[in-house]
Amino acid sequence: MELNKLERYWLTAVGMMLGAFVAATIVALLFFGIRLPSPVDRIDPQRLEETVFANPGIRQLAGNRYEAYVVAKSWAFEAGPDLGTPPVLRFPRGAEVTFYVTSKDVMHGFQIEGHTANLELVPGQIAKTTVRFNRSGEYAIICNHYCGAGHSVMYATIRVE
Amino acid sequence: MATISLAHQLPTNPRSLTMVMRERYLVGAHIITALIALMFGIFMGPFQAFHRSPTFVRYFPSIPIFSYYYQAVTAHGVMNALFFTTFFIIGFTYFVVERSLQRKLRLGSLAWVAYVSMAVGLVMMLATLLTEPQRSAVLYTFYPPMIAPALFYFGLVLLALGSWIASAIVFLTYRDWRREHPGERVPLAVFILIVNLIVWDVATIGVAIELVFMLIPASLGILQTVEPQLGRTLFWFFGHPLVYFWLLPAYVSWYTMLPRQAGGKLFSEPLARVAFLMFLLFSVPVGLHHQFSDPGVSASSKGVHTLLTLIVSVPSFMTAFNVGAALENAGRNNGGKGLLGWVWKQRWGDPIVALQLFGMLTFIAGGFSGLINASSQLNATIHNTSWVPAHFHQTLGGAVTLTYISIVYWMLPAIRGRQLFSKKLALWQGITWFVGMTLFGLSMGEAGLAGAPRRAVTSAAPYLSERALFWLDVTAISGLILLISSILLYVNIVGTLFFSRRPVEAGEIPITTRSGDTRSPLWFERWGIWLGVLGLLLLMAYGPVFVEMLTYEWNILRYVPVINTPMR
Ligand code: HEM
Ligand SMILES: [Cu+2]
Ligand SMILES: [Cu+2]
């Protein structure tokens, strides 16, 4: 196909732009350690009591690292009887927390205000994300995936102190 | 000027603003049904915006529709995004194909079968939404394990079925034309619409499988359990190409009609064809970019889809340049001087041109927010926040809908045989829509960045920051502007149908019957080849995903129980 001069310039510009996008994405994935969530494990949502989610809540690991197990159900987050309803999760400043979250019924969401943590909670799947809390303050955990009548009041709180 | 013909013929002048009876009924039925669906959908929108605003709800706590937020959002999404668009696109496609190829649709009476199928689907859907509001509040994405009454899904199946029959009709009509015109290129508008229907037919396979093998059996009680991760993936196999299905008919107007309406000519037709072949190949194998946050899909597949998503942004950049150059040409023909003089010298006073220009302006903002959605890391900050509806109201609600409305402003008079009720109202409708959608995009976007979720009665949410609440109040103002705009739109529609007395003015529809393009290679129209390449791309992009899901160690569809009533 014959192209005139302007058309060729334009195609070259578009090609270069695309090249730059692709390069930026590859660099981001390979070098900056930007990771997309990947499957952790599957789970039977009707038998959570036979799994680690039987006792949701916070586990302290070595250093300033934690694991938090949270169950989402219509329409509340559950993190064990000690943390209240809706639960309040407390961490010291600088804590690095790995969240393991799953849903007991329909789809829910899990987003931490002010941080890059955003999970789809698909029943039958365990979702995982790691967050470092560098600023003290109070941050909402928001159910951001429509889950029925109580969707807009489904939340929990993180207190970093 | 007016070309009167026998009822079973085509108008002798393909650009005639008057439709013959056959066209009038067939195209008219589709366009008017589309406008009825849009009416059900559109008037929910402002009330959603009001209901999300804490200040509005404080002062007006008891508007009746406020007891049914999720039902309203379901109706809004289903009617606007699925029924309005499909009816409009099929009607528009029939019209443009017949006029451009100057031949009647092959098997034209089947077109009525297709219409009836889609119309029965619409009636079923409305019936479920109205009679079973609690159980049918599953939104237009209907993710399992939430299951609606079976009628909801049957309505969608009939819509898809009708659209498949319609595309078969269009393909056969094209094939006849192709046989009789060896060595010619099909007019660009038809080329685009064929690409569009191929994309649609391939994409709907995904959602059809979800409906027939998972959702309908579950709603009938045949299946007690479902696989939500698989359902979501099948949905987005359809859901992303769906946005191109909406966009490409608007591009038909921008590429093949607007240059003439604006007084200029298209910069490059071969480049346009290249752009649309790229849409054909790359708009389907990218659905996972809606599922970046999904736990059950591997990161490597997400990476592949990210790269393909970047590629599918290319044809839109090509469009920006090609259509932009046509507008520059038009502006200079109208006397625009200097670097930007051509921008002001557009026909801003003509609603048909102005609405499309407004659409392009909102599309630029929408396109950039789309690139942000697509970049996987930034996505984690805005996923499922009100940033997302902000984005697609600029693209779908702004660019696409404004362009469709601009088409309605010339097509409805052609259907009715009377002038548009009021050009001035039409222009003001466009201006208020543009202002409203821009403010909507800004405020919903800001609220989303401040953490406001989408699909939520945010005025009742106990956890939102002051900043989020402020922007939600601004959204209510944009809702008010859009309510006014919607009223102007329907006043004009009803006025044109029932109260306009003057016969259609002189003028013509910018239909092209012969492609002026002599440079595009003829193999651009070897659709078999393109389907083959698309098949390979799909195998590469989706093969591993489905293999992964179908080989879960436990039995597929076994564990997750169906939930029937999201409202209790
Ligand atoms: C009168 C103008 C409109 C207003 C004020 C409006 C308002 C809204 C609002 C506030 C939402 C968000 C609901 C939520 O996330 O909680 C929404 C969602 C939506 N709108 Fe609109 N809208 C308008 C026009 C349109 C048009 C013309 C279309 C498409 C043709 C459209 C398609 C959608 C879709 C697909 C959703 C998503 C529904 C969902 O999340 O399930 N809207 N609209
Ligand atoms: Cu929830
Ligand atoms: Cu929710």
Side-chain angles (χ1 to χ4, degrees):
Chain A
M1 180 167 76
E2 274 170 51
L3 293 173
N4 65 36
K5 204 167 71 182
L6 269 177
E7 286 172 340
R8 247 178 287 134
Y9 285 164
W10 174 240
L11 274 187
T12 319
V14 168
M16 276 159 47
M17 206 156 69
L18 177 65
F21 284 159
V22 171
T25 309
I26 290 175
V27 168
L29 291 175
L30 292 186
F31 299 108
F32 289 101
I34 287 180
R35 263 167 288 122
L36 293 160
S38 221
V40 181
D41 203 357
R42 285 173 272 277
I43 193 166
D44 180 351
Q46 287 175 287
R47 300 207 192 145
L48 293 185
E49 44 314 323
E50 294 164 23
T51 69
V52 282
F53 289 97
N55 302 304
I58 300 172
R59 325 262 150 94
Q60 184 161 13
L61 307 178
N64 204 0
R65 287 168 50 241
Y66 296 82
E67 280 178 351
Y69 291 82
V70 181
V71 175
K73 58 164 213 190
S74 301
W75 291 285
F77 289 110
E78 283 180 352
D82 306 344
L83 302 185
T85 33
V88 180
L89 285 69
R90 293 158 194 272
F91 299 107
R93 215 170 63 181
E96 188 183 280
V97 185
T98 301
F99 291 90
Y100 292 90
V101 197
T102 194
S103 161
K104 213 174 188 166
D105 40 46
V106 292
M107 297 214 36
H108 295 278
F110 182 95
Q111 176 179 12
I112 304 179
E113 200 187 1
H115 295 77
T116 27
N118 205 327
L119 301 171
E120 291 279 358
L121 307 181
V122 182
Q125 309 276 347
I126 300 175
K128 172 190 169 189
T129 188
T130 301
V131 185
R132 183 190 288 279
F133 293 101
N134 287 327
R135 288 159 290 140
S136 43
E138 227 176 69
Y139 306 100
I141 297 177
I142 302 168
C143 175
N144 66 4
H145 190 114
Y146 171 65
C147 53
H151 168 51
S152 43
V153 293
M154 176 164 167
Y155 77 111
T157 308
I158 287 177
R159 201 165 286 152
V160 182
E161 52 227 346
Chain B
M1 180 232 45
T3 36
I4 313 297
S5 344
L6 294 171
H8 60 276
Q9 279 169 347
L10 285 170
T12 40
N13 170 10
R15 300 206 183 130
S16 165
L17 255 181
T18 320
M19 289 187 179
V20 296
M21 276 306 167
R22 222 187 81 264
E23 281 183 295
R24 195 169 273 179
Y25 285 122
L26 185 64
V27 178
H30 284 83
I31 300 299
I32 287 171
T33 313
L35 291 172
I36 292 171
L38 181 67
M39 186 179 72
F40 280 109
I42 213 174
F43 283 102
M44 307 284 168
F47 292 94
Q48 288 156 207
F50 299 157
H51 203 173
R52 286 171 62 88
S53 149
T55 309
F56 192 97
V57 172
R58 191 169 328 125
Y59 287 107
F60 304 94
S62 51
I63 297 180
I65 194 175
F66 280 6
S67 333
Y68 296 98
Y69 187 78
Y70 300 109
Q71 290 84 347
V73 179
T74 305
H76 182 78
V78 168
M79 286 300 140
N80 286 344
L82 302 177
F83 282 90
F84 158 62
T85 48
T86 308
F87 273 101
F88 181 88
I89 292 166
I90 302 286
F92 179 69
T93 303
Y94 286 156
F95 178 78
V96 172
V97 167
E98 279 203 327
R99 291 282 185 109
S100 308
L101 300 186
Q102 290 180 283
R103 62 189 315 139
K104 289 198 314 182
L105 293 175
R106 181 74 188 280
L107 301 177
S109 43
L110 265 191
W112 282 107
V113 176
Y115 172 81
V116 170
S117 169
M118 304 200 302
V120 172
L122 173 64
V123 172
M124 282 183 172
M125 179 58 81
L126 285 173
T128 342
L129 293 176
L130 292 173
T131 59
E132 295 239 44
Q134 303 297 330
R135 288 180 56 214
S136 58
V138 295
L139 307 184
Y140 86 107
T141 45
F142 44 85
Y143 297 129
M146 238 182 229
I147 296 293
L151 218 51
F152 185 101
Y153 306 115
F154 281 124
L156 295 174
V157 168
L158 287 182
L159 180 71
L161 198 64
S163 73
W164 287 343
I165 300 174
S167 37
I169 292 170
V170 171
F171 294 149
L172 289 176
T173 312
Y174 164 77
R175 199 182 60 171
D176 290 352
W177 179 91
R178 185 71 279 167
R179 288 216 180 108
E180 289 169 24
H181 297 78
E184 247 184 83
R185 286 130 190 106
V186 75
L188 181 59
V190 179
F191 187 87
I192 301 174
L193 291 169
I194 287 175
V195 167
N196 199 35
L197 290 176
I198 294 178
V199 167
W200 171 255
D201 289 346
V202 172
T204 38
I205 294 172
V207 76
I209 291 175
E210 187 196 5
L211 286 166
V212 173
F213 294 105
M214 192 184 296
L215 300 177
I216 291 179
S219 70
L220 294 176
I222 299 167
L223 281 178
Q224 267 74 45
T225 52
V226 287
E227 213 327 89
Q229 185 67 73
L230 179 63
R232 253 175 84 72
T233 310
L234 287 169
F235 182 84
W236 286 114
F237 182 96
F238 157 77
H240 190 74
L242 174 65
V243 313
Y244 293 102
F245 176 66
W246 299 331
L247 184 61
L248 264 53
Y251 278 1
V252 168
S253 186
W254 295 4
Y255 269 100
T256 72
M257 299 179 173
L258 180 62
R260 189 111 43 93
Q261 290 161 337
K265 68 187 248 303
L266 188 63
F267 164 68
S268 166
E269 198 169 315
L271 277 197
R273 289 180 201 250
V274 174
F276 288 101
L277 288 176
M278 291 188 73
F279 279 125
L280 175 57
L281 296 184
F282 295 108
S283 44
V284 194
V286 295
L288 286 192
H289 72 231
H290 291 264
Q291 296 175 264
F292 281 146
S293 305
D294 279 30
V297 183
S298 71
S300 55
S301 298
K302 289 175 183 168
V304 171
H305 284 235
T306 307
L307 290 179
L308 293 172
T309 304
L310 294 175
I311 297 180
V312 79
S313 74
V314 167
S316 282
F317 282 112
M318 291 171 72
T319 300
F321 181 74
N322 215 339
V323 174
L327 289 173
E328 180 185 347
N329 176 265
R332 295 208 190 281
N333 290 346
N334 298 343
K337 301 232 159 33
L339 193 59
L340 286 176
W342 57 273
V343 175
W344 314 119
K345 290 286 181 186
Q346 300 296 338
R347 296 179 178 162
W348 289 104
D350 175 358
I352 291 170
V353 174
L355 261 74
Q356 297 184 71
L357 297 178
F358 289 144
M360 290 175 190
L361 290 175
T362 50
F363 198 61
I364 294 170
F368 280 105
S369 59
L371 275 178
I372 291 185
N373 301 352
S375 46
S376 30
Q377 188 65 0
L378 285 170
N379 184 275
T381 51
I382 50 90
H383 181 74
N384 278 347
T385 71
S386 65
W387 173 283
V388 178
H391 160 70
F392 64 70
H393 281 77
Q394 287 173 315
T395 50
L396 170 63
V400 169
T401 305
L402 275 168
T403 305
Y404 287 9
I405 295 174
S406 84
I407 293 170
V408 166
Y409 284 156
W410 59 256
M411 211 181 230
L412 206 59
I415 291 168
R416 184 65 181 89
R418 297 271 193 275
Q419 283 184 26
L420 188 65
F421 181 64
S422 162
K423 275 196 164 175
K424 208 177 222 161
L425 272 191
L427 193 59
W428 278 105
Q429 187 273 322
I431 294 170
T432 44
W433 193 271
F434 172 62
V435 172
M437 276 303 169
T438 306
L439 190 62
F440 184 89
L442 173 76
S443 57
M444 290 281 278
E446 287 283 346
L449 289 177
R454 69 183 289 200
R455 301 176 151 179
V457 189
T458 43
S459 56
Y463 48 74
L464 285 176
S465 63
E466 286 299 313
R467 201 174 119 224
L469 295 174
F470 167 78
W471 285 111
L472 290 166
D473 286 344
V474 178
T475 308
I477 298 171
S478 76
L480 190 63
I481 301 172
L482 286 164
L483 179 60
I484 294 169
S485 187
S486 311
I487 293 171
L488 295 184
L489 171 64
Y490 279 89
V491 167
N492 224 343
I493 290 171
V494 172
T496 306
L497 288 177
F498 300 110
F499 301 104
S500 174
R501 290 281 165 259
R502 287 158 299 159
V504 169
E505 321 169 64
E508 53 173 35
I509 300 167
I511 292 281
T512 313
T513 51
R514 275 273 147 82
S515 170
D517 180 2
T518 51
R519 291 184 292 150
S520 301
L522 287 169
W523 48 262
F524 275 11
E525 284 179 51
R526 291 284 203 75
W527 303 105
I529 300 181
W530 300 117
L531 269 177
V533 179
L534 173 57
L536 284 180
L537 280 170
L538 284 175
L539 206 63
M540 190 189 88
Y542 267 111
V545 181
F546 286 121
V547 168
E548 186 181 11
M549 279 175 199
L550 293 171
T551 51
Y552 287 169
E553 71 243 46
W554 34 269
N555 203 352
I556 198 76
L557 302 181
R558 211 177 95 199
Y559 277 140
V560 182
V562 163
I563 308 277
N564 267 315
T565 313
M567 289 299 130
R568 217 175 291 137

